[in-house]
Amino acid sequence: MAGRADAAAQGAGRGVDETTGRLADQLLTLSRWLHRSQRRLMEPLGITPAQARLLRALAHCEAPPRMADLARLLDVVPRAVTTLVDALEERELVRRVPDPHNRRVIRIELREDGAQALSALRGVRRAAAAELLAPLDETQRAALSALLDTLGEGQPAAHKGHRGHRE
């Protein structure tokens, strides 16, 4: 299987020009830097990046989702969602509630403390972005935002979703 992935990667890279390769490296480096910065800033909140992702997903659901729905949204196995929900429930950020139409189904609901944690997480994300974007002036930030919007619009619908939302 690894051999196929390597071959596909080599085949995909044949037509890639130098600038595109450099951009790929730059985007990956910046993404890693932003992720590390967010993790560092999140540490005092006691929330892991995976837990933060689950809280964000919950906040964007119209109704409390089932565990299976969350697993699909987050693209993880259901057992991973159970572990995340257990930890967040212990901190009283989410709660399990029975489905009003089928008592065998359990749904996950964001609690008030969970909504407050999300607000703090938004602040962390913005602080991490501010650190990353500090060398840019307002005009450069606006230009970068417009370019990133253009890239986002070009993505297939399957790649959009809760990760690309604005907070």
Side-chain angles (χ1 to χ4, degrees):
M1 182 99 157
R4 264 192 253 155
D6 290 341
Q10 287 175 355
R14 285 189 190 128
V16 176
D17 63 51
E18 201 64 32
T19 302
T20 301
R22 183 166 179 251
L23 282 167
D25 291 342
Q26 289 171 316
L27 289 170
L28 186 58
T29 299
L30 290 173
S31 176
R32 287 178 178 158
W33 189 91
L34 185 61
H35 185 74
R36 280 193 303 271
S37 180
Q38 285 183 86
R39 185 178 300 185
R40 175 180 46 81
L41 293 170
M42 283 172 50
E43 202 170 299
L45 300 176
I47 297 173
T48 68
Q51 291 169 348
R53 204 168 147 230
L54 186 138
L55 288 171
R56 284 193 308 273
L58 264 179
H60 289 89
C61 292
E62 291 181 24
R66 299 172 305 138
M67 298 276 248
D69 298 331
L70 283 170
R72 186 177 34 77
L73 274 172
L74 299 172
D75 196 24
V76 298
V77 296
R79 178 69 193 128
V81 171
T82 301
T83 301
L84 292 171
V85 168
D86 286 347
L88 292 170
E89 190 174 39
E90 186 175 308
R91 296 202 45 214
E92 298 185 354
L93 301 179
V94 302
R95 71 175 141 236
R96 289 173 166 88
V97 295
D99 183 292
H101 307 293
N102 182 348
R103 63 185 182 170
R104 292 181 297 172
V105 173
I106 299 296
R107 296 190 175 270
I108 308 304
E109 184 176 80
L110 190 63
R111 296 181 71 158
E112 187 175 329
D113 285 353
Q116 290 173 359
L118 268 172
S119 180
L121 288 166
R122 282 185 193 101
V124 162
R125 292 176 78 181
R126 288 186 175 130
E131 287 178 8
L132 177 71
L133 299 171
L136 304 180
D137 64 29
E138 286 303 314
T139 302
Q140 291 170 318
R141 288 179 188 205
L144 178 59
S145 180
L147 290 169
L148 293 173
D149 281 343
T150 300
L151 289 175
E153 290 165 7
Q155 296 304 306
H159 291 185
K160 293 181 182 178
H162 75 277
R163 287 188 196 184
H165 71 285
R166 291 190 176 187
E167 294 181 357

Coordinates of all heavy atoms in Angstrom, one line a residue, residues 18-90:
E18 N 8.3 24.8 -9.9 CA 9.1 25.1 -8.7 C 8.3 26.0 -7.7 O 8.4 25.8 -6.5 CB 10.4 25.9 -9.2 CG 11.5 25.9 -8.3 CD 12.1 24.5 -8.0 OE1 12.1 23.6 -8.8 OE2 12.6 24.4 -6.9
T19 N 7.6 27.0 -8.2 CA 6.9 27.9 -7.4 C 5.8 27.2 -6.6 O 5.6 27.4 -5.4 CB 6.2 29.0 -8.2 OG1 7.3 29.7 -8.9 CG2 5.5 30.0 -7.3
T20 N 5.1 26.3 -7.3 CA 4.0 25.5 -6.6 C 4.6 24.6 -5.5 O 4.1 24.5 -4.4 CB 3.2 24.6 -7.6 OG1 2.7 25.5 -8.6 CG2 2.1 23.9 -6.9
G21 N 5.7 24.0 -5.8 CA 6.4 23.2 -4.8 C 6.8 24.1 -3.6 O 6.7 23.7 -2.4
R22 N 7.4 25.3 -3.8 CA 7.7 26.2 -2.7 C 6.5 26.6 -1.9 O 6.6 26.6 -0.7 CB 8.5 27.4 -3.3 CG 9.0 28.3 -2.3 CD 10.0 29.3 -2.9 NE 10.4 30.2 -1.9 CZ 10.0 31.5 -1.8 NH1 9.3 32.0 -2.7 NH2 10.5 32.3 -0.8
L23 N 5.4 26.9 -2.6 CA 4.2 27.3 -1.9 C 3.7 26.1 -1.0 O 3.2 26.4 0.1 CB 3.1 27.7 -2.9 CG 3.2 29.1 -3.5 CD1 2.3 29.2 -4.7 CD2 2.9 30.1 -2.5
A24 N 3.8 24.9 -1.5 CA 3.3 23.8 -0.8 C 4.1 23.7 0.5 O 3.6 23.5 1.6 CB 3.4 22.5 -1.6
D25 N 5.4 23.8 0.4 CA 6.3 23.8 1.6 C 6.0 24.9 2.5 O 5.9 24.7 3.8 CB 7.8 23.9 1.2 CG 8.2 22.6 0.4 OD1 7.5 21.6 0.5 OD2 9.3 22.7 -0.2
Q26 N 5.8 26.1 2.0 CA 5.5 27.3 2.8 C 4.2 27.1 3.6 O 4.1 27.4 4.8 CB 5.5 28.6 2.0 CG 6.8 29.0 1.5 CD 6.7 30.2 0.5 OE1 5.8 30.1 -0.4 NE2 7.5 31.2 0.6
L27 N 3.2 26.7 2.9 CA 1.8 26.5 3.5 C 1.9 25.4 4.6 O 1.3 25.6 5.7 CB 0.8 26.1 2.5 CG 0.4 27.2 1.5 CD1 -0.5 26.6 0.4 CD2 -0.4 28.3 2.2
L28 N 2.6 24.3 4.4 CA 2.8 23.3 5.4 C 3.5 23.8 6.6 O 3.1 23.6 7.7 CB 3.5 22.1 4.8 CG 3.6 20.9 5.7 CD1 2.2 20.4 6.1 CD2 4.3 19.8 4.9
T29 N 4.6 24.6 6.4 CA 5.4 25.1 7.5 C 4.5 26.1 8.3 O 4.5 26.0 9.5 CB 6.6 25.9 6.9 OG1 7.4 24.9 6.3 CG2 7.4 26.5 8.1
L30 N 3.8 27.0 7.6 CA 2.9 27.9 8.3 C 1.8 27.3 9.1 O 1.4 27.6 10.2 CB 2.4 29.0 7.3 CG 3.4 30.0 6.8 CD1 2.8 30.8 5.7 CD2 4.0 30.8 7.9
S31 N 1.2 26.2 8.5 CA 0.2 25.5 9.1 C 0.7 24.8 10.4 O 0.0 24.9 11.4 CB -0.4 24.4 8.2 OG -1.3 23.6 8.8
R32 N 1.8 24.2 10.3 CA 2.4 23.6 11.5 C 2.7 24.6 12.6 O 2.5 24.4 13.8 CB 3.7 22.8 11.1 CG 3.4 21.6 10.4 CD 4.7 20.9 10.0 NE 4.4 19.6 9.3 CZ 5.3 19.1 8.5 NH1 6.5 19.6 8.3 NH2 4.9 17.9 7.9
W33 N 3.3 25.8 12.2 CA 3.6 26.8 13.1 C 2.3 27.3 13.8 O 2.3 27.5 15.0 CB 4.3 28.0 12.4 CG 4.8 29.0 13.4 CD1 6.0 29.0 13.9 CD2 4.1 30.1 13.9 NE1 6.1 30.1 14.8 CE2 5.0 30.8 14.8 CE3 2.8 30.6 13.8 CZ2 4.6 31.9 15.5 CZ3 2.4 31.7 14.5 CH2 3.3 32.4 15.3
L34 N 1.2 27.5 13.0 CA 0.0 28.0 13.6 C -0.6 26.9 14.6 O -1.1 27.3 15.7 CB -1.0 28.3 12.5 CG -2.4 28.9 12.9 CD1 -2.2 30.2 13.6 CD2 -3.2 29.0 11.6
H35 N -0.5 25.7 14.2 CA -1.0 24.6 15.0 C -0.3 24.6 16.4 O -0.9 24.5 17.4 CB -0.9 23.3 14.3 CG -1.5 22.1 15.1 ND1 -2.8 21.9 15.2 CD2 -0.9 21.1 15.7 CE1 -3.1 20.9 15.9 NE2 -1.9 20.3 16.3
R36 N 1.1 24.7 16.3 CA 1.9 24.7 17.5 C 1.6 25.9 18.4 O 1.4 25.7 19.6 CB 3.4 24.6 17.2 CG 3.9 23.3 16.9 CD 5.4 23.2 16.8 NE 6.0 24.2 15.9 CZ 6.3 24.0 14.7 NH1 6.1 22.8 14.1 NH2 6.9 24.9 13.9
S37 N 1.4 27.0 17.8 CA 1.1 28.2 18.5 C -0.3 28.1 19.2 O -0.4 28.4 20.4 CB 1.1 29.4 17.6 OG 0.8 30.6 18.3
Q38 N -1.3 27.6 18.5 CA -2.6 27.4 19.1 C -2.5 26.4 20.2 O -3.1 26.6 21.3 CB -3.6 26.9 18.0 CG -4.1 27.9 17.1 CD -5.1 27.3 16.1 OE1 -6.2 27.3 16.4 NE2 -4.6 26.9 14.9
R39 N -1.8 25.3 20.0 CA -1.7 24.3 21.1 C -1.1 24.9 22.4 O -1.5 24.7 23.5 CB -0.9 23.1 20.6 CG -0.8 22.0 21.7 CD -0.1 20.8 21.2 NE -0.7 20.3 20.0 CZ -0.3 19.3 19.3 NH1 0.7 18.5 19.8 NH2 -0.9 18.9 18.2
R40 N 0.0 25.7 22.2 CA 0.6 26.4 23.3 C -0.4 27.3 24.0 O -0.4 27.4 25.3 CB 1.8 27.2 22.8 CG 2.6 28.0 23.9 CD 3.8 28.8 23.3 NE 3.6 29.4 22.1 CZ 3.0 30.7 21.9 NH1 2.6 31.3 23.0 NH2 2.8 31.2 20.8
L41 N -1.1 28.1 23.3 CA -2.1 29.1 23.8 C -3.3 28.4 24.4 O -3.9 28.9 25.3 CB -2.5 30.1 22.8 CG -1.4 31.0 22.3 CD1 -1.8 31.8 21.1 CD2 -0.9 32.0 23.4
M42 N -3.6 27.2 23.9 CA -4.8 26.4 24.5 C -4.4 25.7 25.8 O -5.3 25.4 26.5 CB -5.2 25.3 23.4 CG -6.0 25.9 22.3 SD -6.3 24.6 21.0 CE -6.9 23.3 21.9
E43 N -3.2 25.5 26.0 CA -2.8 24.7 27.2 C -3.4 25.2 28.5 O -3.9 24.3 29.2 CB -1.2 24.6 27.3 CG -0.7 23.5 28.1 CD 0.8 23.4 27.9 OE1 1.3 23.1 26.8 OE2 1.5 23.5 29.0
P44 N -3.4 26.5 28.8 CA -4.0 26.9 30.0 C -5.5 26.6 30.1 O -6.1 26.5 31.2 CB -3.8 28.4 30.0 CG -2.6 28.6 29.1 CD -2.7 27.6 28.1
L45 N -6.2 26.4 29.0 CA -7.6 26.1 29.0 C -7.9 24.7 29.3 O -9.0 24.3 29.6 CB -8.2 26.5 27.6 CG -8.1 27.9 27.1 CD1 -8.7 28.0 25.7 CD2 -8.8 28.8 28.1
G46 N -6.8 23.8 29.2 CA -7.0 22.4 29.5 C -7.8 21.7 28.4 O -8.4 20.6 28.7
I47 N -7.8 22.2 27.2 CA -8.6 21.6 26.1 C -7.6 21.2 25.0 O -6.7 22.0 24.6 CB -9.6 22.6 25.6 CG1 -10.7 22.9 26.7 CG2 -10.3 22.0 24.3 CD1 -11.6 24.0 26.3
T48 N -7.7 20.0 24.6 CA -6.8 19.5 23.5 C -7.3 20.0 22.2 O -8.5 20.3 22.0 CB -6.7 17.9 23.5 OG1 -8.0 17.4 23.1 CG2 -6.3 17.4 24.9
P49 N -6.4 20.0 21.1 CA -6.9 20.3 19.8 C -8.1 19.5 19.3 O -9.0 20.0 18.7 CB -5.7 20.2 18.9 CG -4.5 20.4 19.9 CD -5.0 19.8 21.2
A50 N -8.0 18.2 19.6 CA -9.1 17.3 19.2 C -10.4 17.6 19.9 O -11.5 17.6 19.3 CB -8.8 15.8 19.4
Q51 N -10.3 18.0 21.2 CA -11.5 18.4 21.9 C -12.1 19.7 21.4 O -13.3 19.9 21.3 CB -11.2 18.5 23.4 CG -10.9 17.2 24.1 CD -10.4 17.3 25.5 OE1 -10.0 18.4 25.9 NE2 -10.3 16.2 26.2
A52 N -11.2 20.6 21.1 CA -11.6 21.9 20.5 C -12.3 21.7 19.2 O -13.3 22.3 18.9 CB -10.4 22.8 20.3
R53 N -11.8 20.8 18.4 CA -12.4 20.5 17.1 C -13.8 19.9 17.3 O -14.8 20.3 16.6 CB -11.5 19.5 16.4 CG -11.7 19.5 14.9 CD -10.6 18.7 14.2 NE -11.2 18.2 13.0 CZ -11.2 16.9 12.7 NH1 -10.5 16.1 13.3 NH2 -11.8 16.5 11.6
L54 N -14.0 19.1 18.3 CA -15.3 18.5 18.6 C -16.3 19.6 19.0 O -17.4 19.7 18.6 CB -15.3 17.4 19.6 CG -16.6 16.7 19.8 CD1 -16.4 15.2 19.9 CD2 -17.3 17.2 21.0
L55 N -15.8 20.5 19.9 CA -16.7 21.6 20.4 C -17.1 22.5 19.2 O -18.2 22.9 19.1 CB -15.9 22.4 21.5 CG -15.7 21.7 22.8 CD1 -14.8 22.6 23.7 CD2 -17.1 21.5 23.5
R56 N -16.2 22.8 18.3 CA -16.5 23.6 17.2 C -17.5 22.9 16.3 O -18.5 23.5 15.8 CB -15.3 24.0 16.4 CG -14.4 25.0 17.0 CD -13.3 25.6 16.0 NE -12.5 24.6 15.4 CZ -11.4 24.1 15.9 NH1 -11.0 24.5 17.1 NH2 -10.7 23.2 15.2
A57 N -17.4 21.6 16.1 CA -18.3 20.9 15.3 C -19.7 20.9 15.9 O -20.7 21.1 15.3 CB -17.9 19.4 15.1
L58 N -19.8 20.7 17.2 CA -21.0 20.7 18.0 C -21.7 22.1 17.8 O -22.9 22.2 17.6 CB -20.8 20.5 19.5 CG -21.0 19.1 20.0 CD1 -20.7 19.1 21.5 CD2 -22.3 18.5 19.7
A59 N -20.9 23.2 17.9 CA -21.5 24.5 17.8 C -22.1 24.8 16.5 O -23.0 25.6 16.4 CB -20.4 25.5 18.1
H60 N -21.7 24.1 15.5 CA -22.3 24.3 14.1 C -23.4 23.3 13.7 O -23.8 23.4 12.6 CB -21.1 24.3 13.1 CG -20.3 25.5 13.2 ND1 -19.2 25.6 14.1 CD2 -20.4 26.8 12.7 CE1 -18.7 26.8 14.1 NE2 -19.4 27.5 13.2
C61 N -23.8 22.5 14.6 CA -24.9 21.6 14.4 C -26.2 22.3 14.7 O -26.3 22.9 15.8 CB -24.7 20.3 15.2 SG -23.3 19.3 14.7
E62 N -27.2 22.1 13.9 CA -28.5 22.7 14.1 C -29.2 22.1 15.3 O -29.9 22.8 16.1 CB -29.4 22.7 12.9 CG -28.9 23.6 11.8 CD -29.8 23.5 10.5 OE1 -31.0 23.2 10.7 OE2 -29.3 23.8 9.4
A63 N -29.0 20.8 15.5 CA -29.6 20.1 16.6 C -28.5 19.2 17.2 O -27.5 18.9 16.5 CB -30.8 19.2 16.1
P64 N -28.6 18.8 18.5 CA -27.6 17.9 19.0 C -27.4 16.7 18.2 O -28.4 15.9 17.9 CB -28.2 17.6 20.4 CG -29.1 18.7 20.8 CD -29.7 19.2 19.4
P65 N -26.2 16.4 17.8 CA -25.9 15.2 16.9 C -25.8 14.0 17.7 O -25.5 14.0 18.9 CB -24.6 15.6 16.2 CG -23.9 16.5 17.2 CD -25.0 17.2 17.9
R66 N -25.9 12.8 17.0 CA -25.5 11.5 17.6 C -24.0 11.4 17.5 O -23.3 12.1 16.8 CB -26.2 10.4 16.7 CG -27.7 10.5 16.7 CD -28.3 9.4 15.7 NE -27.7 9.6 14.4 CZ -27.3 8.7 13.6 NH1 -27.5 7.4 13.9 NH2 -26.8 8.9 12.4
M67 N -23.5 10.5 18.3 CA -22.0 10.2 18.3 C -21.6 9.8 16.9 O -20.5 10.3 16.4 CB -21.7 9.1 19.2 CG -22.0 9.4 20.7 SD -20.8 10.3 21.5 CE -20.2 9.1 22.6
A68 N -22.4 9.0 16.2 CA -22.0 8.6 14.8 C -21.9 9.8 13.9 O -21.1 9.9 13.0 CB -23.0 7.6 14.3
D69 N -22.8 10.8 14.1 CA -22.8 12.0 13.3 C -21.5 12.8 13.5 O -20.9 13.3 12.6 CB -24.0 12.9 13.6 CG -25.4 12.2 13.3 OD1 -25.4 11.4 12.4 OD2 -26.3 12.6 14.0
L70 N -21.1 12.9 14.8 CA -19.9 13.6 15.1 C -18.7 12.9 14.5 O -17.8 13.5 14.0 CB -19.7 13.7 16.6 CG -20.6 14.8 17.3 CD1 -20.5 14.7 18.8 CD2 -20.2 16.2 16.8
A71 N -18.7 11.5 14.6 CA -17.6 10.8 14.0 C -17.5 11.1 12.5 O -16.3 11.3 12.0 CB -17.8 9.3 14.3
R72 N -18.6 11.1 11.8 CA -18.6 11.4 10.4 C -18.1 12.8 10.1 O -17.3 13.1 9.3 CB -20.0 11.2 9.8 CG -20.0 11.3 8.3 CD -21.4 11.0 7.8 NE -22.5 11.4 8.6 CZ -23.0 12.6 8.8 NH1 -22.4 13.6 8.2 NH2 -24.0 12.9 9.5
L73 N -18.6 13.8 10.9 CA -18.2 15.2 10.7 C -16.7 15.4 10.9 O -16.1 16.1 10.2 CB -18.9 16.1 11.7 CG -20.3 16.6 11.4 CD1 -21.0 17.3 12.6 CD2 -20.2 17.5 10.2
L74 N -16.2 14.7 11.9 CA -14.8 14.8 12.3 C -13.9 13.9 11.5 O -12.6 14.0 11.6 CB -14.6 14.6 13.8 CG -15.3 15.6 14.7 CD1 -15.2 15.2 16.1 CD2 -14.8 17.0 14.5
D75 N -14.5 13.0 10.8 CA -13.7 12.0 10.0 C -12.8 11.2 10.9 O -11.6 11.0 10.6 CB -12.9 12.7 8.9 CG -12.5 11.7 7.8 OD1 -13.1 10.6 7.7 OD2 -11.5 12.0 7.1
V76 N -13.4 10.6 12.0 CA -12.7 9.8 12.9 C -13.6 8.6 13.2 O -14.8 8.5 12.9 CB -12.4 10.5 14.3 CG1 -11.4 11.7 14.0 CG2 -13.6 10.9 15.0
V77 N -13.0 7.6 13.9 CA -13.8 6.4 14.3 C -14.7 6.7 15.4 O -14.3 7.6 16.3 CB -12.9 5.2 14.6 CG1 -12.1 4.7 13.4 CG2 -12.0 5.5 15.7
P78 N -15.9 6.1 15.6 CA -16.8 6.4 16.7 C -16.1 6.3 18.0 O -16.4 7.1 18.9 CB -17.9 5.4 16.5 CG -17.9 5.1 15.0 CD -16.5 5.2 14.6
R79 N -15.2 5.4 18.2 CA -14.6 5.2 19.5 C -13.8 6.5 19.9 O -13.7 6.8 21.1 CB -13.6 4.0 19.5 CG -12.9 3.8 20.8 CD -13.8 3.3 21.9 NE -13.1 3.4 23.2 CZ -13.6 4.1 24.3 NH1 -14.7 4.7 24.2 NH2 -12.9 4.1 25.4
A80 N -13.2 7.1 19.0 CA -12.5 8.4 19.2 C -13.4 9.5 19.8 O -13.1 10.2 20.7 CB -11.7 8.9 18.0
V81 N -14.6 9.5 19.2 CA -15.6 10.5 19.6 C -16.0 10.2 21.1 O -16.2 11.1 21.9 CB -16.8 10.5 18.7 CG1 -18.0 11.4 19.2 CG2 -16.4 11.0 17.3
T82 N -16.2 8.9 21.4 CA -16.6 8.5 22.7 C -15.6 9.0 23.7 O -15.9 9.6 24.8 CB -16.8 7.0 22.8 OG1 -17.8 6.6 21.9 CG2 -17.2 6.6 24.2
T83 N -14.3 8.8 23.4 CA -13.2 9.3 24.3 C -13.3 10.8 24.5 O -13.1 11.3 25.6 CB -11.9 8.8 23.8 OG1 -11.9 7.4 23.7 CG2 -10.7 9.2 24.7
L84 N -13.5 11.5 23.4 CA -13.5 13.0 23.5 C -14.7 13.4 24.3 O -14.6 14.3 25.1 CB -13.5 13.6 22.1 CG -12.3 13.4 21.2 CD1 -12.5 13.8 19.8 CD2 -11.1 14.2 21.8
V85 N -15.9 12.8 24.0 CA -17.1 13.2 24.7 C -17.0 12.9 26.2 O -17.4 13.7 27.0 CB -18.3 12.6 24.1 CG1 -19.6 12.7 25.0 CG2 -18.6 13.2 22.7
D86 N -16.4 11.8 26.5 CA -16.2 11.4 28.0 C -15.4 12.5 28.7 O -15.8 13.0 29.8 CB -15.5 10.1 28.1 CG -16.3 8.9 27.8 OD1 -17.6 9.0 27.6 OD2 -15.7 7.8 27.6
A87 N -14.3 12.9 28.1 CA -13.4 14.0 28.7 C -14.2 15.3 28.8 O -14.1 16.0 29.8 CB -12.1 14.1 27.9
L88 N -14.9 15.7 27.7 CA -15.6 17.0 27.8 C -16.8 16.9 28.7 O -17.1 17.9 29.3 CB -16.0 17.3 26.3 CG -14.9 17.7 25.4 CD1 -15.4 17.8 24.0 CD2 -14.2 19.0 25.8
E89 N -17.4 15.8 28.8 CA -18.5 15.6 29.7 C -18.1 15.7 31.2 O -18.7 16.3 32.0 CB -19.3 14.3 29.5 CG -20.6 14.2 30.2 CD -21.3 12.9 29.8 OE1 -20.7 11.9 29.7 OE2 -22.6 13.0 29.7
E90 N -16.9 15.1 31.4 CA -16.3 15.2 32.8 C -16.1 16.6 33.2 O -16.2 17.0 34.4 CB -15.0 14.4 32.8 CG -14.4 14.2 34.2 CD -13.2 13.3 34.2 OE1 -13.4 12.2 33.7 OE2 -12.2 13.8 34.7

